[in-house]
């Protein structure tokens, strides 16, 4: 009998389905801040368009006016190391350096490329990586690809981190602490100042901070949580993405010049991929130039976030979040799926977040607010929870 080579895959999918952990690609149609799915129009509270810039038509109109067929380049046709390093790359990196007052900067195709590329390049067998237990999957993948040794510290538990530093620092050439600034699933913040102080108490420790969910949203100029905490210059790898609040695509790291030169030579996810199309880099540039001016949107987002978190706490929910990302814990996956369906019927496009994205037993509805949400919508949502 011929063996069915697909049988084990089918079984695994069936098991996922039985545990309410099966994923499919949702088909959605976008209408400004709303989405339409299966004929139902809902307010989108599941995107990372935190400032509402991606759904803002007037910005795109202004940008399009600056384009001509000659300037509209939809492909770079090559890696940056060959012929893909267009002017738009340099211009964007220059702008980032100016905004952050940083020595050097490097732009990548995505945050995923960034996080899976930097750590394998900079970590060797004499390196120890100490990562927060809840860092994003892309960082975990980067750590797995790195020859460095790796220990996770308990989430935001700096006593644990300090003890790991104390016991290990003498055995390694260097230690790299890895954290997010705002955590993607719990919405809580790392204490960046404390991490900087910890790092500075040893001569061989570097700090890697992923600002994916904070850039655009936090800090007076929207540069992120490190700006808010006044420690941009103290972070060795200040990394972020353009795909969330900045309404574009790509990743970036601010670092020392020698580090940039090193990455250009060693980072496989930079070297062996076609560079971002110039038109995307130009759009990112266009948004970044205006970032400081979006402070009204940052204010609205902050107010709405506070309102939602206070509403949840008043209803007896535990609320770890200190940001615009607000989880509503259900525990089980099935409960999360049912709750999401109920909220969708009420007009809120919310999705269940389940293992392996979050640890087993911590399934949740992840509410991700944007600056275009209104107070009465937040009130209504709270009343449904
Ligand atoms: C989304 C995300 C990334 C990946 O960024 P992309 O640009 O979407 O590839 C990296 N890190 C964190 C913390 C993220 O949330």
């Amino acid at each position: 009998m011929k063996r069915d080579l697909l049988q084990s895959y089918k079984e695994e999918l069936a098991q996922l389905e039985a545990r309410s952990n099966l994923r499919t690609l949702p088909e959605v149609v976008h209408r400004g801040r709303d989405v339409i799915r299966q004929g139902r129009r809902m307010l989108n509270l599941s995107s990372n368009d935190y400032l509402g810039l991606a759904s803002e038509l007037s910005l795109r109109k202004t940008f399009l006016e600056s384009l001509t067929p000659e300037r509209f380049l939809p492909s770079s046709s090559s890696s940056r190391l060959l012929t893909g390093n267009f002017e738009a790359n340099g211009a964007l990196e220059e702008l980032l350096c100016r905004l952050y007052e940083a020595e050097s900067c490097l732009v990548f195709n995505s945050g995923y490329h960034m996080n899976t590329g930097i750590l394998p390049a900079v970590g060797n067998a004499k390196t120890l990586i100490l990562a927060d237990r809840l860092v994003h999957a892309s960082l975990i993948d980067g750590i797995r690809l790195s020859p460095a040794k790796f220990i996770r510290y308990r989430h935001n538990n700096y006593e644990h981190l300090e003890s790991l530093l104390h016991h290990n620092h003498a055995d390694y050439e260097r230690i790299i602490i890895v954290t997010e600034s705002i955590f993607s699933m719990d919405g809580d913040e790392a204490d960046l100042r404390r991490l900087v102080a910890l790092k500075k108490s040893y001569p061989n420790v570097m700090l890697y901070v992923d600002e994916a969910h904070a850039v655009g949203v936090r800090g007076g100029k929207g540069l992120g949580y490190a700006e808010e905490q006044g420690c941009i210059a103290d972070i060795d790898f200040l990394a972020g993405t353009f795909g969330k609040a900045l309404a574009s695509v790509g990743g970036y790291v601010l670092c020392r010049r020698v580090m940039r030169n090193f990455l250009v030579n060693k980072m496989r996810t930079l070297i062996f991929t076609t560079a971002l199309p110039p038109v995307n880099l130009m759009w990112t540039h266009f948004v970044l130039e205006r970032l400081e001016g979006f402070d009204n949107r940052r204010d609205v987002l902050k107010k709405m976030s506070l309102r939602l978190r206070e509403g949840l706490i008043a209803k007896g929910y535990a609320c770890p979040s200190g940001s615009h990302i607000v989880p509503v814990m259900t525990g089980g996956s099935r409960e999360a799926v049912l709750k999401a369906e109920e909220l969708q019927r009420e007009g809120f496009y919310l999705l269940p977040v389940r293992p392996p994205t979050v640890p087993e037993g911590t399934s949740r509805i992840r509410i991700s607010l944007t600056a275009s949400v209104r107070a009465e919508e937040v009130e209504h949502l709270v009343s449904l929870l």
Side-chain angles (χ1 to χ4, degrees), residues 110-115 136 138 180 184 210 212-213 241 243-244 250:
S110 73
Y112 191 81
H113 285 76
M114 161 186 91
N115 283 337
H136 191 259
S138 58
E180 288 173 37
S184 54
D210 183 343
H213 299 279
T241 83
K244 290 173 175 141

Side-chain angles (χ1 to χ4, degrees), residues 319-339:
C319 186
S321 169
S323 71
H324 56 291
I325 298 168
V326 183
V328 181
M329 298 294 177
T330 61
S333 295
R334 191 173 155 68
E335 291 76 6
V337 170
L338 291 175
K339 191 71 198 170

Side-chain angles (χ1 to χ4, degrees), residues 31-34 43-45 47 49-56 296-298 300-302 304 368-378:
R31 288 281 180 275
R33 26 172 246 144
D34 294 344
L43 177 64
N44 187 357
L45 293 182
S47 92
D49 182 22
Y50 301 134
L51 294 180
L53 300 180
S55 61
E56 172 73 49
N296 278 343
R297 292 174 188 246
R298 282 188 284 278
V300 170
L301 184 59
K302 193 173 172 180
M304 292 304 127
S368 102
L369 291 179
T370 75
S372 48
V373 72
R374 300 178 190 123
E376 59 272 21
E377 290 162 341
V378 173

Side-chain angles (χ1 to χ4, degrees), residues 101-299:
E101 297 176 34
E103 187 177 300
S104 194
C105 166
L106 194 56
V107 165
F108 312 109
N109 288 14
S110 73
Y112 191 81
H113 285 76
M114 161 186 91
N115 283 337
T116 52
I118 296 178
L119 289 169
V122 303
N124 59 18
K126 293 178 206 150
T127 303
L128 173 65
I129 294 171
L130 296 176
D132 188 288
R133 184 169 285 285
L134 292 190
V135 294
H136 191 259
S138 58
L139 284 162
I140 299 295
D141 291 354
I143 290 166
R144 285 198 183 130
L145 287 168
S146 167
K149 190 161 177 281
F150 161 47
I151 306 175
R152 292 204 204 188
Y153 61 90
R154 289 193 284 278
H155 177 52
N156 276 348
N157 185 328
Y158 302 126
E159 286 77 32
H160 188 206
L161 175 60
E162 189 160 18
S163 119
L164 289 170
L165 285 169
H166 177 75
H167 286 106
N168 288 289
H169 75 97
D171 300 334
Y172 291 90
E173 201 171 286
R174 76 181 69 80
I175 295 181
I176 306 175
I177 301 172
V178 177
T179 187
E180 288 173 37
S181 60
I182 295 180
F183 283 85
S184 54
M185 289 300 144
D186 286 15
D188 54 347
E189 298 112 328
D191 186 343
L192 295 183
R193 286 196 197 137
R194 177 126 183 234
L195 286 168
V196 166
L198 265 179
K199 160 196 118 141
K200 285 186 173 169
S201 58
Y202 296 92
N204 60 340
V205 179
M206 298 202 280
L207 181 57
Y208 185 128
V209 178
D210 183 343
E211 292 253 52
H213 299 279
V215 66
V217 170
R218 301 294 282 260
K221 298 178 183 171
L223 300 178
Y225 195 51
E227 185 203 349
E228 190 176 307
Q229 297 255 298
C231 59
I232 289 177
D234 296 312
I235 296 168
D236 302 271
F237 302 93
L238 186 57
T241 83
F242 302 128
K244 290 173 175 141
L246 299 183
S248 185
V249 61
Y252 63 89
V253 67
L254 298 141
C255 58
R256 299 294 303 271
R257 186 164 294 115
V258 59
M259 227 50 254
R260 181 186 195 271
N261 293 342
F262 190 80
L263 291 172
V264 166
N265 281 274
K266 300 281 186 181
M267 188 172 160
R268 298 174 67 86
T269 59
L270 172 78
I271 299 171
F272 298 107
T273 188
T274 301
L276 281 176
V279 67
N280 295 103
L281 296 162
M282 286 159 69
W283 165 252
T284 306
H285 194 285
F286 174 90
V287 174
L288 262 180
E289 272 183 324
R290 287 160 179 75
L291 190 60
E292 188 171 353
F294 297 131
D295 46 350
N296 278 343
R297 292 174 188 246
R298 282 188 284 278
D299 278 352

